[in-house]
Amino acid sequence: TLGEEDNHLIEGVERDKSASFDRQPGKPSLRSLIHHVPAHLCCAIDYKLLADPVRSPLGHVFERSNLIRALAKTSGKCPLTGQPLTLEECTRAADLRAQVTQWVRQQKRSAVTG
């Protein structure tokens, strides 16, 4: 299970992501600053670190906010397959969220000791 410190790490990514519309032009988001992220921890739409991952019935993983925008643009079609898809059909991927938290913590430790 995620501890309080783990939740703060993820909430920081989510907070930064949600504030992206209020950011000054040209200022990158936290999600865009994290490099060399393992592919399985990245959104299938923008290939950035997941903060609030959801899994489609076909197993594709998306950042929830990216999927919401994509579904709105495509009139309810999966951005990868073009098949009909709703957000309600996608489940929150708590397992991936935990893996992201673990990966971020490892990166943080490496930065401190490296």
Side-chain angles (χ1 to χ4, degrees):
T1 63
L2 297 175
E4 187 174 322
E5 181 180 332
D6 299 329
N7 280 328
H8 287 301
L9 287 171
I10 296 297
E11 287 168 1
V13 172
E14 289 174 339
R15 184 174 43 255
D16 185 73
K17 179 185 65 178
S18 66
S20 64
F21 297 108
D22 300 329
R23 238 188 342 264
Q24 296 174 356
K27 185 176 178 187
S29 70
L30 178 59
R31 286 183 71 220
S32 69
L33 291 174
I34 300 175
H35 302 286
H36 310 294
V37 178
H40 72 284
L41 300 180
C42 293
C43 172
I45 296 172
D46 67 3
Y47 308 106
K48 293 180 183 174
L49 181 68
L50 295 161
D52 187 9
V54 293
R55 188 174 283 120
S56 77
L58 294 177
H60 301 294
V61 180
F62 304 100
E63 178 62 27
R64 187 174 188 275
S65 61
N66 288 345
L67 182 59
I68 290 169
R69 283 191 293 276
L71 291 173
K73 287 181 184 177
T74 62
S75 300
K77 292 194 168 62
C78 175
L80 298 183
T81 67
Q83 298 297 313
L85 181 67
T86 65
L87 186 62
E88 293 74 25
E89 293 175 289
C90 300
T91 57
R92 297 253 176 163
D95 60 322
L96 280 176
R97 184 177 166 128
Q99 289 176 41
V100 166
T101 300
Q102 182 180 12
W103 184 83
V104 169
R105 293 178 95 196
Q106 288 172 346
Q107 298 309 301
K108 188 176 175 183
R109 278 194 295 270
S110 295
V112 170
T113 61

